[in-house]
Amino acid sequence: MNQSLRIASLLPSATEIICALGLEEQLVGISHECDFPVSVRSLPAVTASAISNDLSSGDIDAQVREHLQSNAALYTIDGDIVSKLAPDLIVTQALCDVCAVSAADVAAVACELTQVAEVINLEPACLQDVFDTIHAVGVATGAEPSAASLVAGLKDRLQAVQRRSAVIDAASKPSVVMLEWLDPPFNAGHWTPELVEYAGGEALLSSPGQPSTTIAWDQVRDTNPALLVIACCGFNIERTRRDIEVLQDTTWWKSLQSVATRSVYVIDGNQYFNRPGPRLIDSLEILAHILHPALHPLPPALNNTFVRI
């Protein structure tokens, strides 16, 4: 492990991976959204968002689409701060322009640094990719043994869920729609359909490894899932419930079997499901408990991570 390495992390999942590898002391800068572990919040933020999080979900979506259509930056990176921090390694992503600073902007800032900084892009689309990114960060930081140990532990927990789910017959697997945004609705793609299957459910309206996409509420109504699980990207439970309150007055919402049976679950989507790092396994354990509580006990550390409405 390179103890002298100076690392700048430009996305929350990378920060979580770096800290899980025992490299928190090497972090010199983070993104404005990095908030876990809590101890990193005192570090300088080198990015900012062009869109306020205080807007309604519909307004946020509209502004995101406007920025993407005009090629305007959703996020900015402060080259002056990065230069002062003098990182040897910058960890970012090129998977989603809605999630972090663009790879091109990061490369441009790196080129302006007086010292050479390695830039690595993390682009996981499925759960195995997430494990591979942990290994990639381990290689880039000289922490391969720590990365191997971390991945082994995460896979052990994954396999424990799989073993318990193996006893569930097809007829007992509830249909599940998972959403990561409500206005307009977005399905939860990439690794999330895998998590649903591992947890003992049948994932509807999304495919493993495919990006999240806008869907219509008519599709949710027509599939009429047994469970509706909502983990809005960037929103905690309280913020997500504000959007649900608007939906609860509609006729089609009241017609859903998941609503009638109180099988709508809201999870902190800022912390779980949307960050492709170690806590995706926490996300799996939460979901498995929601789907089959008698079969999958909830780890005590994950109490109060979801609400049923």
Side-chain angles (χ1 to χ4, degrees):
M1 185 181 296
N2 186 348
Q3 298 289 347
S4 64
L5 194 69
R6 297 174 63 82
I7 308 170
S9 169
L10 304 188
L11 62 160
S13 59
T15 296
E16 295 187 22
I17 291 171
I18 290 162
C19 292
L21 293 178
L23 298 167
E24 184 174 348
E25 291 187 1
Q26 275 67 63
L27 269 176
V28 296
I30 57 173
S31 82
H32 64 287
E33 293 180 318
C34 294
D35 58 7
F36 185 88
V38 174
S39 50
V40 305
R41 298 180 186 180
S42 61
L43 291 170
V46 301
T47 67
S49 173
I51 298 175
S52 171
N53 208 36
D54 293 331
L55 299 173
S56 70
S57 296
D59 286 342
I60 291 173
D61 178 78
Q63 289 202 19
V64 167
R65 292 175 190 269
E66 181 181 340
H67 275 71
L68 293 177
Q69 187 173 12
S70 63
N71 291 319
L74 280 170
Y75 300 94
T76 57
I77 179 169
D78 192 318
D80 290 338
I81 295 178
V82 175
S83 180
K84 291 176 183 177
L85 295 174
D88 304 300
L89 175 67
I90 301 174
V91 187
T92 185
Q93 61 91 49
L95 179 69
C96 173
D97 286 340
V98 178
C99 297
V101 178
S102 73
D105 288 348
V106 176
V109 167
C111 286
E112 295 295 324
L113 299 177
T114 56
Q115 81 288 352
V116 176
E118 179 185 3
V119 178
I120 62 171
N121 282 299
L122 309 183
E123 302 183 50
C126 64
L127 198 53
Q128 182 57 51
D129 288 350
V130 175
F131 297 144
D132 290 344
T133 63
I134 294 173
H135 175 71
V137 174
V139 170
T141 58
E144 295 100 321
S146 296
S149 177
L150 175 59
V151 170
L154 294 173
K155 286 186 174 180
D156 283 346
R157 291 166 59 194
L158 167 62
Q159 289 163 3
V161 173
Q162 286 181 288
R163 285 193 296 272
R164 292 193 297 267
S165 293
V167 303
I168 305 169
D169 59 51
S172 300
K173 292 184 177 182
S175 57
V176 181
V177 165
M178 286 204 63
L179 300 177
E180 65 170 44
W181 199 254
L182 294 178
D183 186 15
F186 272 73
N187 62 15
H190 294 120
W191 44 82
T192 303
E194 290 180 86
L195 299 183
V196 174
E197 297 296 331
Y198 290 142
E202 177 191 3
L204 304 180
L205 299 182
S206 57
S207 300
Q210 298 301 307
S212 303
T213 58
T214 309
I215 60 174
W217 281 116
D218 286 351
Q219 292 174 268
V220 179
R221 181 197 62 201
D222 293 345
T223 56
N224 199 18
L227 282 88
L228 181 60
V229 183
I230 302 168
C232 288
C233 187
F235 285 179
N236 61 20
I237 291 173
E238 180 181 1
R239 176 61 183 83
T240 301
R241 292 193 72 164
R242 284 164 49 189
D243 285 355
I244 293 175
E245 288 173 1
V246 177
L247 300 174
Q248 287 175 323
D249 291 332
T250 63
T251 301
W252 63 263
W253 175 267
K254 296 174 183 177
S255 72
L256 294 175
Q257 65 167 323
S258 54
V259 173
T261 59
R262 290 195 67 239
S263 297
V264 177
Y265 295 85
V266 180
I267 300 171
D268 186 339
N270 185 49
Q271 301 296 324
Y272 302 102
F273 288 98
N274 298 300
R275 295 184 179 185
R279 290 197 294 167
L280 279 187
I281 302 304
D282 292 10
S283 305
L284 170 62
E285 291 169 340
I286 294 167
L287 184 60
H289 177 72
I290 287 173
L291 269 59
H292 302 282
L295 193 61
H296 299 290
L298 186 68
L302 298 178
N303 285 335
N304 304 315
T305 52
F306 67 90
V307 297
R308 180 182 182 183
I309 61 174

